[in-house]
Amino acid sequence: MGRAFAHGPKPERSIVFLNVTAEERGLLGSEYYAANPLYSLAKTVADINTDALNPAGPARNFSQSGNAQSGLLDLLIADAKAAGLQFNPDPHPETGGFFRSDHFPFAKRGVPALSFGSGDDLVDGGKAAGDVARKDYISNHYHQPSDEWQAGWTFASMTHDLPVLYRVGSDLANSTQWPNWSADSEFRATRDATAAERK
């Protein structure tokens, strides 16, 4: 599972790529880092979880796990739109994916975070093909021994989506922006409590 997030005092920031493990066992890797961060979470600008990139092929849209609103999501939507990707809300928020993904240990500590999901409206086959690919993955691979790299994967969707995600991280790393959670978010108060550290 990978993620990129910017950190650091302004104006000098970096992008950190963090690979964690044991998501299936309760987000153990991401929880460990969030509890023992290399850099202060108060000065961590954002967390972008990239472990839901779709190997089925490029799509016209993208989503995120859950429906949490933040300035980080606004930035991603704007950059994705410029790259021809439309944002669609999580089609299955009832599965609780927001609370079971590796960005959650950061979110609950106040860091603006999201889990990017490649879209289901595939360039080759549309929504019908995207639904077939999703159902196959959930039924036959998700959290099973076969949930691993496959020789037949195309990386075309990843090469389309990753530059968008990198652009968001790079823009934040090279700016003085501090995106925050929406005013009604349950994570907003935790983030606001550390605001003085970002002055």
Side-chain angles (χ1 to χ4, degrees):
M1 290 59 173
R3 90 204 1 52
F5 59 94
H7 70 85
K10 61 183 182 183
E12 197 172 295
R13 296 179 174 180
S14 301
I15 294 179
V16 176
F17 293 94
L18 176 66
N19 291 297
V20 296
T21 190
E23 177 262 345
E24 295 86 352
R25 297 286 187 180
L27 311 178
L28 297 184
S30 53
E31 182 63 41
Y32 179 85
Y33 180 88
N36 305 275
L38 183 62
Y39 301 100
S40 164
L41 294 187
K43 294 183 178 179
T44 297
V45 179
D47 174 22
I48 303 171
N49 186 3
T50 61
D51 68 356
L53 297 170
N54 187 353
R60 299 178 184 92
N61 61 347
F62 76 98
S63 187
Q64 69 165 350
S65 293
N67 294 319
Q69 300 297 307
S70 69
L72 175 62
L73 178 61
D74 295 340
L75 292 170
L76 175 57
I77 289 172
D79 280 349
K81 183 177 181 181
L85 284 172
Q86 174 185 332
F87 173 69
N88 293 118
D90 185 348
H92 300 283
E94 71 282 358
T95 65
F98 181 88
F99 305 98
R100 296 184 290 108
S101 296
D102 283 311
H103 69 289
F104 184 64
F106 295 85
K108 72 182 183 181
R109 289 172 172 87
V111 177
L114 60 80
S115 185
F116 178 88
S118 294
D120 58 0
D121 183 9
L122 301 184
V123 171
D124 186 9
K127 190 92 165 54
D131 287 343
V132 168
R134 181 185 181 280
K135 288 175 184 173
D136 175 65
Y137 173 69
I138 296 296
S139 298
N140 301 313
H141 304 291
Y142 181 64
H143 285 187
Q144 298 178 49
S146 61
D147 193 356
E148 60 181 3
W149 176 83
Q150 304 289 329
W153 281 358
T154 172
F155 290 91
S157 62
M158 298 176 194
T159 58
H160 183 260
D161 294 346
L162 282 172
V164 175
L165 296 169
Y166 181 81
R167 189 173 305 116
V168 174
S170 179
D171 288 348
L172 287 172
N174 291 292
S175 78
T176 57
Q177 294 183 73
W178 293 99
N180 204 342
W181 296 98
S182 62
D184 60 350
S185 169
E186 64 266 41
F187 310 113
R188 178 68 180 248
T190 303
R191 186 62 164 178
D192 286 350
T194 63
E197 297 182 52
R198 294 186 290 279
K199 300 276 187 212

